[in-house]
Amino acid sequence: KAWRVEDPNTFGTDEFIKYCRAVGAEPYLCGSPTVGDAEELSNWVEYCNQTAGRWARLRAANGSQKPFGVKFWSVGNENYGGADVGAVNSPQQFAELARSRGEMMWRVDRSIQIVVPFNNNEEWGRVLLRSARPLISALAVHIYSDELWQRNEPAPYLACMKKSLEPEVLLIKTRGVLHAIGADKMPIAIDEWNLRGWHHPRFWDPTPADIAARDRNDENQTYTCADAVYAGCFLIACQRHADRVLMANFAPIVNVRGAIYTHQQGIVLRPTYHVFDLMVNHALPIAVRTRVECGDLPVDGGKVPMIDASLTTGPKGQYALTAVNRHDRLPVEIEIRVAGAALPDTAELWTVTGPQPDSFNDVGHPADVTLRHKTIRWAGGKPLVTLPPHSVSVVRF
């Protein structure tokens, strides 16, 4: 009813859990924003996490005797907005919805972590925390910087570089609002994010042509090096705010705006996919405070920093610098300095980029934007690294 198309639910809870286990991810389940009630959502928790009860027996009958043990749950999705069926219209109604659902879910499984949607509004936040704070493990915010909901006209590369500052702004703003309402230690979940917003014109009353227009989300030429650089900047911002960011969920995974495109003969890995490959497999688990000094890139009558970067470290004395070069045409040489550490003569360099800022991957050319690796030797021991234009890199030493 929300999107005016039929969802057969052939990919349901059991399939989603199998998928998460196959890729090594923690499942995160979100209750319908305003359709259904606390009883229905708590039944879902029972289905996933309990050994007794009607819904636990149904899971067993469906082939899974052992509970799924789903740790992360959300009581809704953008409940505060006008987009969803029956969206709430006051902070009091919103707080009561979160409290009643959270209490019923906890009656089923007290060990779960409950995430609550948040609109970065101080009044809503104060009312919500007064009503439901003991139940809340994190507050969730969303960001789509290139809003294409009604008009599918993706922003060009340089305009996207201006938008690449927005994730950091979102995190700073959210921390500021939480500080103002006395929730300085509340974790943040960015449980929907992407550069490109979904194209779904007139979703509230779509014509057949409006529904057909949603297929434009699958056009691979939309997803370019701009998407890769934006994703790099987003994840760097999460590293800088690692003390507060509980999770950051790219939306969606497959097709439409996703990192992977499927077709009859196989798949296409879009630029954002390679940024995840880069940072998941080559950055390290502990964030280090990082300062970046660089020149600016002129953009739309303003300017943005040419370089964005963050340093991570691990248990074996390794370091990994994640660095973005936002420039559309020019490579930039950077110097790395780690306070109190002598750097070795060589390093490993992984880079995601393509021939042009607007390069993209498609069925006929699936590797124009990809991840490449090489070993570099620093001349005279001076740690200088050249970052290609429109690129995301990890330097590991």
Side-chain angles (χ1 to χ4, degrees), residues 43-279:
N43 290 341
W44 199 9
V45 178
E46 180 188 307
Y47 181 90
C48 291
N49 289 5
Q50 289 300 337
T51 57
R54 171 188 174 189
W55 301 100
R57 290 193 295 271
L58 179 60
R59 182 202 67 247
N62 287 341
S64 299
Q65 289 290 334
K66 185 179 179 181
F68 296 143
V70 177
K71 180 179 180 180
F72 297 105
W73 295 79
S74 176
V75 298
N77 177 76
E78 299 182 6
N79 308 63
Y80 45 78
D84 287 310
V85 176
V88 298
N89 55 20
S90 73
Q92 291 77 19
Q93 186 182 5
F94 178 58
E96 174 56 27
L97 182 150
R99 186 196 60 77
S100 61
R101 291 187 177 196
E103 285 182 348
M104 284 290 287
M105 294 163 73
W106 264 10
R107 292 290 296 224
V108 176
D109 185 352
R110 181 63 180 78
S111 72
I112 63 174
Q113 294 192 33
I114 297 174
V115 179
V116 177
F118 187 50
N119 61 351
N120 257 334
N121 177 283
E122 286 190 32
E123 179 189 2
W124 284 62
R126 291 183 197 280
V127 174
L128 174 63
L129 293 182
R130 274 201 304 269
S131 178
R133 185 167 189 163
L135 300 160
I136 301 172
S137 295
L139 292 173
V141 293
H142 293 173
I143 182 170
Y144 294 92
S145 292
D146 191 16
E147 297 182 352
L148 304 172
W149 321 121
Q150 302 304 312
R151 299 172 64 88
N152 193 57
E153 298 175 357
Y157 179 84
L158 286 177
C160 291
M161 293 306 95
K162 189 173 183 179
K163 296 176 186 295
S164 73
L165 302 177
E166 294 179 8
E168 180 86 17
V169 172
L170 172 68
L171 283 164
I172 292 171
K173 176 183 178 180
T174 305
R175 295 184 76 139
V177 173
L178 293 176
H179 173 74
I181 62 177
D184 280 299
K185 295 184 179 181
M186 177 67 69
I188 300 167
I190 314 173
D191 61 359
E192 275 191 48
W193 72 270
N194 203 323
L195 168 60
R196 314 290 184 179
W198 301 41
H199 181 55
H200 42 60
R202 288 176 43 83
F203 67 89
W204 58 90
D205 188 23
T207 65
D210 292 328
I211 292 175
R214 298 174 189 171
D215 288 341
R216 297 191 65 187
N217 290 290
D218 279 326
E219 295 173 352
N220 285 317
Q221 64 266 29
T222 303
Y223 313 105
T224 68
C225 288
D227 296 73
V229 172
Y230 178 94
C233 293
F234 178 96
L235 295 170
I236 286 171
C238 289
Q239 289 178 339
R240 273 197 290 268
H241 296 268
D243 59 322
R244 297 291 291 282
V245 176
L246 174 71
M247 61 174 74
N249 310 83
F250 185 74
I253 300 170
V254 176
N255 294 334
V256 288
R257 298 300 192 203
I260 299 171
Y261 171 74
T262 69
H263 56 95
Q264 291 297 321
Q265 287 73 45
I267 64 173
V268 173
L269 303 178
R270 288 174 173 160
T272 306
Y273 174 93
H274 295 294
V275 176
F276 278 107
D277 185 358
L278 172 77
M279 296 185 71

Side-chain angles (χ1 to χ4, degrees), residues 30 32 61 69 82 129 330 333 370 380:
C30 174
S32 178
L129 293 182
L330 300 179
E333 186 177 67
T370 190

Side-chain angles (χ1 to χ4, degrees), residues 301-322:
K303 57 187 180 181
V304 299
M306 197 96 67
I307 302 297
D308 197 3
S310 64
L311 190 68
T312 53
T313 188
K316 298 180 180 180
Q318 291 183 312
Y319 290 92
L321 180 78
T322 304

